[in-house]
Amino acid sequence: MGAAAGRHPPTGRRIRAPGLPYAAIRIVFEVGRARGLGLHEAQLVVHDRYLHHGDRVARTPDSPLDVESLAARAAGCPGRVVAIEAVWDGDTVHDWFVHLMAITDDPVGERSLATIYWDTAGRYLGEEGAPDSLHPSSAAADRSGRALAARLSVPFHFASPQTPDDEAPRWRP
């Protein structure tokens, strides 16, 4: 969103989003890889979307938590997905949140499929909300992570769903 974006005051319809095109390209590339989409094609898709939507880019979108979107992201992982894991993290801006991770082998690694902030969790859980004993991010990660793991026929691991703990034990094969 070049220099022109800086001339207008921020409103509910536009924000300054440094790095957003790169994040969008990465997501399109990861999801599209399973369907034969290369990096160059992902760049073209994002470029065309920015041309089409222009100044209507309002914010970095929430990570999708529906099984179809998560499965598409998992399919873009290098290597075979062997587990889905929920991992706590936190910072001074978002407080506690959860990363939903795909754990892979050959090559061994992990890839973040979604970052579940309090607001993202609230929208995903809807009026039902989270049980009183769970942080909303934990409840959303548990629900979407278990559904994805069942879809992929792999284990789901969340070492500390009741209490935020960014040092909780990680999944091991």
Side-chain angles (χ1 to χ4, degrees):
M1 296 188 45
R7 290 189 299 226
H8 302 286
T11 68
R13 297 192 60 183
R14 68 191 307 171
I15 62 167
R16 285 177 233 138
L20 183 60
Y22 300 109
I25 291 167
R26 180 181 53 82
I27 290 168
V28 171
F29 176 65
E30 289 174 4
V31 170
R33 182 185 309 164
R35 294 175 173 89
L37 191 73
L39 180 59
H40 179 71
E41 291 85 5
Q43 291 171 324
L44 292 175
V45 167
V46 171
H47 174 74
D48 288 345
R49 298 289 291 173
Y50 271 76
L51 287 177
H52 176 75
H53 292 291
D55 290 338
R56 292 179 289 178
V57 175
R59 62 179 171 80
T60 301
D62 291 341
S63 293
L65 298 179
D66 63 284
V67 174
E68 293 298 322
S69 297
L70 291 171
R73 286 185 172 194
C77 291
R80 182 175 62 95
V81 175
V82 295
I84 300 299
E85 182 175 32
V87 179
W88 283 106
D89 198 355
D91 62 30
T92 57
V93 174
H94 300 102
D95 195 23
W96 287 105
F97 53 92
V98 178
H99 293 289
L100 199 58
M101 311 291 290
I103 309 299
T104 62
D105 70 356
D106 196 24
V108 173
E110 60 184 31
R111 164 116 359 122
S112 179
L113 301 175
T115 301
I116 308 170
Y117 300 108
W118 186 291
D119 292 344
T120 306
R123 283 186 283 278
Y124 174 70
L125 296 169
E127 289 183 23
E128 176 185 327
D132 290 337
S133 62
L134 289 180
H135 187 287
S137 297
S138 175
D142 190 71
R143 181 188 296 174
S144 60
R146 286 185 189 282
L148 177 60
R151 168 80 173 267
L152 301 177
S153 299
V154 298
F156 174 70
H157 180 256
F158 195 175
S160 181
Q162 299 293 335
T163 306
D165 182 358
D166 58 356
E167 295 181 4
R170 297 291 306 271
W171 185 83
R172 304 238 186 270

